[in-house]
């Protein structure tokens, strides 16, 4: 008699029923935390996506394969078939594979890319024999091939359930060939062009630098980004993550640039301010290096969860609302068109594929920039922004004619021929350390940057976890994360020595780029980094980028900052986003991240106050008029500046509330990292994260920074 209950329904075939046994005990970590794993480390508000596995029978020498709980979940003929598992991450079908022989299963999944052979090579990816015979000599259960849009779920012995997206074109250790890797590496960097080069276009003019200075800083940023990316993919987390100037550093850099002592400088302020920034970045980078390599990051990692990461990174993007569109408004007909083009490419045309590539989605930023720049060039050449008797090179304060004063904004911001960076830049130039002079060390500025380096580390933790779910076999261990943070500190030291104006860290946009391009190959990122170093030696490349009109830079930044905010909030998908606890914490964090800095920024400023900086830079002059006014000027500077940064307030509120308000591990969405001992037993994880050239064996005793 048939029964729809899966526990009592008849078993197909001639095999005897499996003996009754208790469920597999959870791992030590699961015992301590009560964690219940779900697909790909993600959790939902409901249990609809929970994987339910029957109790594993005790191993017997002559036991026969179990079809119902076997290596491939098939749908046996029954009167009332069970509903299929819920879709995961947009996939349609799921195969559940109990990893009875974990090492063989994982090794075979990566066998093609490892090029290895041996006993494991005689079995297929699901552990079946090569001649249609199972591992125990029994007839093999027929299995179905995994298609591109399916996700294979591997159930490990330690209770971890890892999902792999099989639609990734290239995974972490794939090396398909020089030409495909070169093309995908170029595509990867081109899609992240805005994140790499836009920050120098903002901070150098704010420092009083010329177009030639901007060109040199852009070349330096490209060089340092290529070098630090190679270092990170080789000796850091080893994930395919591009290193570069992060928006996390932009707000504190602007605050330091607008310090009261720099407002009184005469002449070229650029080199003097740059040396002050270099000193602050070097000290903060040394602090981050100690945080990573000392193992403190492994301890701190237990307190960093999606509910903390999400509002912190979202606040980074939201903090520049006063800079974005006000700068676009200086030439609205150019800036607004560019924003609309990028929106159209990334949203309305995102599904259009050309030769198998969604070029509009991947290249939305460079395409929008190219089209808008070409249109602005045609308008400039047609004389639309030329006015009789008016010279664009004359300072606005020296213009007498009322007719010219009326059109001075259009002449300066809409024309594309006002920059001479491309003409004045050299063809070849090698960026070298201390090219701006000897760094100047100020403890008050260094303390601000040290606090910002913690926010940068929090940002990187979220990027490590999200990218590992896409490209790697398992998430990294806490030691690997700590190692990556330590190397990011060393990379920021290099950025300080070369003088990029900001620290070097993992760009948050990496996760979006990997998900869109479906390219997670480490070799492709490394090859692109080599190309980036070569391009940095061509001075005309930096001059070309430096000649982008400011209004177009602001329009691109509006899109980039919006994307950054959304990527930050996307970390909530690992937690129960519908939980009232998480909703309140995230809401309070975001609100106070905007409201508290506004109090500091408006304190002591009356409507008739005459400020010497443009209106879009008013939020960054807090040090001169903040509420802290003790007899210690350095302490006043540190507190007024630090508490006026939106991301710092968001981090403090979310960090305190998430770690003090009671909540289950499931509700909080605690990041699941691989355990060190379990990772050492799995060749796939070892090959993903182990340091090259057998360096790991030398430092095996340093357990808190790797394997």
């Amino acid at each position: 008699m048939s029964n729809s209950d899966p526990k009592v329904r008849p078993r197909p075939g001639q095999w005897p029923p499996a003996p009754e046994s208790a469920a597999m005990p959870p791992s030590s970590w699961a015992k301590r935390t009560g964690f219940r794993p779900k697909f790909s480390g993600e959790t939902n508000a409901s249990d609809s996506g929970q994987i339910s596995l029957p109790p594993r029978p005790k191993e017997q020498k002559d036991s026969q394969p179990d079809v119902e709980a076997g290596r491939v979940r098939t749908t046996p003929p029954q009167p009332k078939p069970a509903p299929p598992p819920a879709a995961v991450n947009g996939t349609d079908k799921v195969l559940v594979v109990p990893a009875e022989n974990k090492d063989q299963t994982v090794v075979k999944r990566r066998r093609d890319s490892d090029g290895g052979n041996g006993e494991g090579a005689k079995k297929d990816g699901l552990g079946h024999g090569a001649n249609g015979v199972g591992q125990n000599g029994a007839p093999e259960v027929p299995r179905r091939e995994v298609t591109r849009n399916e996700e294979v779920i591997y159930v490990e012995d330690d209770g971890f359930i890892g999902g792999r997206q099989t639609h990734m074109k290239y995974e972490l250790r794939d090396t398909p060939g020089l030409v495909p890797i070169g093309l995908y590496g170029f595509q990867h960097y081109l899609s992240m062009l805005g994140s790499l080069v836009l920050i120098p276009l903002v901070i150098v003019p704010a420092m009083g630098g010329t177009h030639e200075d901007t060109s040199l800083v852009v070349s330096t940023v490209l060089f340092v980004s290529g070098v630090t990316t190679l270092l990170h993919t080789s000796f850091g987390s080893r994930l395919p993550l591009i290193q570069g100037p992060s928006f996390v550093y932009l707000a504190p850099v602007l605050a330091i640039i607008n310090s009261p002592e720099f407002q009184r400088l005469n002449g070229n302020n650029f080199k003097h301010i740059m040396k002050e920034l270099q000193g602050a970045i070097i000290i903060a980078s040394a602090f981050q290096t100690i945080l990573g390599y000392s193992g403190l990051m492994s301890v701190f990692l237990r307190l960093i969860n999606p509910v903390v990461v999400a509002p912190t990174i979202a606040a980074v993007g939201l903090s520049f609302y006063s800079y974005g569109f006000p700068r676009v408004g200086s030439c609205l007909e150019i800036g607004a068109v560019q924003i609309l083009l990028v929106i159209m490419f990334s949203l309305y045309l995102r599904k259009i594929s050309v030769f198998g590539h969604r070029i509009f989605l991947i290249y939305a930023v460079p395409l929008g920039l190219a089209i808008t720049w070409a249109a602005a060039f045609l308008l400039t050449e047609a004389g639309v922004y030329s006015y009789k008797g008016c010279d664009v090179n004359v300072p606005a304060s020296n213009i007498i004619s009322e007719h010219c004063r009326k059109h001075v904004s259009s002449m300066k911001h809409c024309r594309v021929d006002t920059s001479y960076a491309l003409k004045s830049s050299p063809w070849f130039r090698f960026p070298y350390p201390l090219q701006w002079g000897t760094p100047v060390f100020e403890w008050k500025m260094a303390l601000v940057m040290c606090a910002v380096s913690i926010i940068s580390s929090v940002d990187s933790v979220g990027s490590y976890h999200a990218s590992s779910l896409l490209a790697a076999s398992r998430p990294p261990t806490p030691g690997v994360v700590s190692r990556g943070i330590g190397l990011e500190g060393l990379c920021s030291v290099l950025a300080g020595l070369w003088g990029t104006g900001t620290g070097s860290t993992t760009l948050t946009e990496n996760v979006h780029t990997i998900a869109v391009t479906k390219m997670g190959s480490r070799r492709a990122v490394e090859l692109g980094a080599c190309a980036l170093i070569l391009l940095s030696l061509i001075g005309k490349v930096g001059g070309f980028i430096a000649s982008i009109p400011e209004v177009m830079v602001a329009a691109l930044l509006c899109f980039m900052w919006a994307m950054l905010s959304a990527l930050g909030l996307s970390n909530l998908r690992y937690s129960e986003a519908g939980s009232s606890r998480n909703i309140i914490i995230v809401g309070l964090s975001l609100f106070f991240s905007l409201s508290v800095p506004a109090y500091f920024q408006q304190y002591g400023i009356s409507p008739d106050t005459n400020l010497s900086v443009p209106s879009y830079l008013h939020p960054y002059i807090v040090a001169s008029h903040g509420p802290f006014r003790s007899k210690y000027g350095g302490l006043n500077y540190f507190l007024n500046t630090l508490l006026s940064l939106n991301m710092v307030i968001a981090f403090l509120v979310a960090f305190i509330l998430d770690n003090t308000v009671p909540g289950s591990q499931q509700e909080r969405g605690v990041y699941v990292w691989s355990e060190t001992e379990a990772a050492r037993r799995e060749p796939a994880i070892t090959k993903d994260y182990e340091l090259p050239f057998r360096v790991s064996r030398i430092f095996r005793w340093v357990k808190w920074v790797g394997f």
Side-chain angles (χ1 to χ4, degrees):
M1 181 176 178
S2 63
N3 194 334
S4 59
D5 188 353
K7 295 184 180 179
V8 299
R9 63 171 180 250
R11 304 174 60 84
Q14 302 299 322
W15 302 286
E20 296 292 336
S21 63
M24 180 183 65
S27 63
S28 59
W29 182 89
K31 288 179 179 178
R32 293 195 306 268
T33 62
F35 177 74
R36 294 181 300 159
K38 290 192 176 183
F39 289 124
S40 305
E42 299 182 15
T43 60
N44 299 316
S46 65
D47 289 338
S48 59
Q50 182 75 29
I51 298 179
S52 298
L53 292 177
R56 292 183 58 185
K58 297 181 179 179
E59 295 184 0
Q60 296 182 2
K61 184 175 181 180
D62 298 325
S63 62
Q64 299 296 332
D66 185 355
V67 174
E68 187 174 5
R71 310 199 72 78
V72 179
R73 177 177 292 181
T74 58
T75 306
Q78 49 185 294
K80 296 181 180 180
V88 182
N89 295 338
T91 56
D92 297 328
K93 301 178 181 179
V94 177
L95 300 179
V96 177
V97 185
E100 296 178 3
N101 194 335
K102 181 165 49 178
D103 290 344
Q104 292 180 354
T105 302
V106 177
V107 170
K108 181 53 192 170
R109 284 200 295 132
R110 303 306 301 259
R111 183 67 61 186
D112 295 338
S113 60
D114 295 339
N117 50 24
E119 182 180 356
K122 296 178 183 179
K123 300 179 179 65
D124 59 23
L126 300 176
H128 296 278
N131 298 319
V133 180
Q135 295 185 27
N136 299 322
E140 182 185 9
V141 180
R143 67 182 181 90
R144 179 170 51 84
E145 295 294 332
V146 181
T147 62
R148 271 290 189 187
N149 292 325
E150 294 178 342
E151 182 177 5
V152 183
I153 305 299
Y154 296 90
V155 183
E156 310 291 351
D157 290 335
D158 58 3
F160 181 90
I161 299 181
R164 295 301 312 280
Q165 289 292 336
T166 58
H167 63 250
M168 290 290 292
K169 293 179 180 178
Y170 299 114
E171 296 178 357
L172 186 60
R173 289 179 283 113
D174 291 342
T175 54
L178 183 61
V179 175
I181 281 183
L183 292 176
Y184 278 104
F186 175 77
Q187 167 186 276
H188 200 76
Y189 279 84
L190 187 60
S191 63
M192 298 184 63
L193 178 65
S195 302
L196 287 172
V197 302
L198 292 182
I199 289 182
L201 304 184
V202 174
I203 64 175
V204 176
M207 287 189 281
T210 62
H211 295 293
E212 292 77 10
D213 295 329
T214 305
S215 173
L216 297 179
V217 174
V218 169
S219 297
T220 304
V221 166
L222 296 179
F223 178 81
V224 173
S225 178
V227 172
T228 54
T229 299
L230 288 176
L231 289 175
H232 192 81
T233 55
S234 300
F235 303 103
S237 70
R238 306 217 69 199
L239 290 167
L241 301 173
I242 298 175
Q243 307 296 297
S246 173
F247 290 117
V248 173
Y249 286 95
L250 181 55
V253 165
L254 289 175
I256 293 176
I257 291 173
N258 292 278
S259 298
E261 54 264 40
F262 298 148
Q263 301 298 324
R264 297 186 293 268
L265 293 177
N266 296 322
N268 188 358
N269 303 342
F270 169 72
K271 287 189 177 181
H272 182 83
I273 299 177
M274 178 62 81
K275 289 186 291 185
E276 296 271 3
L277 287 175
Q278 286 181 262
I281 291 170
I282 290 174
I283 294 178
S285 303
F287 169 76
Q288 188 178 16
T289 303
I290 296 173
L291 181 67
Y293 284 126
S294 66
L296 291 176
M297 194 64 202
S298 299
V299 179
F300 187 51
L301 203 61
R302 303 171 186 174
L303 306 177
I304 302 176
N305 299 311
V307 180
V308 178
V309 175
T312 302
I313 306 307
V316 174
L318 295 176
S319 62
F320 299 104
Y321 70 93
S322 63
Y323 184 96
F325 204 79
R327 296 289 289 154
V328 174
S330 60
C331 184
L332 197 58
E333 60 268 29
I334 299 295
V337 168
Q338 178 158 324
I339 293 176
L340 293 176
L341 281 175
V342 175
I343 292 175
M344 181 179 68
F345 291 151
S346 59
L347 292 178
Y348 294 100
L349 304 180
R350 71 185 189 279
K351 294 186 178 180
I352 296 180
S353 179
V354 179
F355 300 110
H357 299 274
R358 294 185 177 182
I359 59 173
F360 293 107
L361 178 60
I362 298 173
Y363 306 120
V365 170
L367 279 177
L369 174 62
I371 295 174
T372 309
W373 203 350
F377 175 78
L378 294 177
L379 292 175
T380 302
E381 290 299 314
V384 175
Y385 302 115
S386 298
Y387 302 95
K388 186 177 180 180
C390 302
D391 187 358
V392 68
N393 297 316
V394 176
S397 58
N398 296 338
I399 297 178
I400 302 177
S401 172
E402 187 65 28
H403 171 71
C404 294
R405 284 181 177 272
K406 180 180 178 181
H407 300 289
V408 65
S409 178
S410 298
M411 289 190 298
K412 288 187 174 295
H413 299 102
C414 297
R415 297 177 64 94
V416 297
D417 58 354
T418 58
S419 173
Y420 300 96
L422 183 60
K423 295 180 181 179
S424 60
S425 58
W427 274 102
F428 297 100
R429 182 183 182 274
F430 185 82
Y432 55 92
L434 307 180
Q435 56 188 334
W436 314 116
T438 305
V440 178
F441 299 94
E442 287 283 348
W443 71 269
K444 59 182 182 181
M445 299 178 184
L447 286 179
V448 172
M449 297 303 287
C450 285
V452 173
S453 67
I454 297 178
I455 307 297
S456 172
S457 301
V458 172
D459 182 13
S460 297
V461 167
S463 299
Y464 290 173
H465 184 268
S467 61
S468 66
L469 295 180
L470 291 170
S473 57
R474 286 273 294 270
T477 64
V480 172
V481 176
S482 190
R483 185 182 71 197
I485 298 300
L487 189 69
E488 284 190 15
L490 291 178
C491 293
S492 291
V493 171
L494 297 180
L497 291 174
W498 260 261
T500 61
T502 65
S504 177
T505 185
T506 299
L507 300 180
T508 312
E509 296 80 358
N510 274 292
V511 178
H512 173 72
T513 302
I514 293 174
V516 170
T517 61
K518 298 178 176 57
M519 195 287 301
S521 172
R522 183 162 53 212
R523 297 300 180 205
V525 173
E526 292 173 343
L527 189 61
C530 294
L532 207 63
I533 294 174
L534 295 177
L535 288 176
S536 69
L537 305 181
I538 304 175
K540 293 296 182 183
V541 174
F544 176 78
I545 296 175
S547 61
I548 300 176
E550 293 182 3
V551 64
M552 298 184 188
V553 173
L556 291 180
L557 286 173
C558 287
F559 180 79
M560 300 300 299
W561 288 330
M563 280 291 300
L564 182 62
S565 301
L567 287 173
L569 292 175
S570 69
N571 283 276
L572 291 174
R573 70 185 184 273
Y574 302 115
S575 66
E576 292 188 357
S579 165
S580 61
R581 172 192 182 275
N582 296 343
I583 290 175
I584 294 174
I585 292 176
V586 174
L588 289 174
S589 303
L590 289 177
F591 175 79
F592 285 116
S593 71
L594 297 175
S595 186
V596 173
Y599 165 74
F600 279 80
Q601 294 161 8
Q602 298 171 10
Y603 187 89
I605 297 181
S606 58
D608 56 348
T609 303
N610 186 16
L611 300 176
S612 59
V613 298
S615 59
Y616 54 84
L617 292 178
H618 286 178
Y620 309 106
I621 59 173
V622 181
S624 61
H625 60 80
F628 287 98
R629 300 182 180 182
S630 67
K631 61 180 180 179
Y632 303 104
L635 181 62
N636 297 338
Y637 179 93
F638 171 71
L639 293 177
N640 286 327
T641 302
L642 189 67
L643 296 179
S644 67
L645 300 178
N646 305 74
M647 57 187 175
V648 172
I649 301 300
F651 171 73
L652 291 176
V653 174
F655 182 82
I656 294 173
L657 293 179
D658 185 56
N659 289 284
T660 56
V661 177
S664 65
Q665 303 288 333
Q666 187 90 351
E667 185 179 21
R668 298 173 64 192
V670 175
Y671 286 133
V672 180
W673 307 104
S674 299
E675 295 184 0
T676 303
E677 295 301 325
R680 287 177 178 174
R681 295 193 302 266
E682 297 189 11
I685 304 179
T686 303
K687 291 181 179 180
D688 280 348
Y689 300 110
E690 190 175 31
L691 296 177
F693 313 119
R694 301 182 184 271
V695 177
S696 293
R697 297 187 179 184
I698 301 176
F699 297 98
R700 185 177 292 273
W701 58 277
V702 192
K703 297 180 180 180
W704 55 85
V705 289
F707 292 105

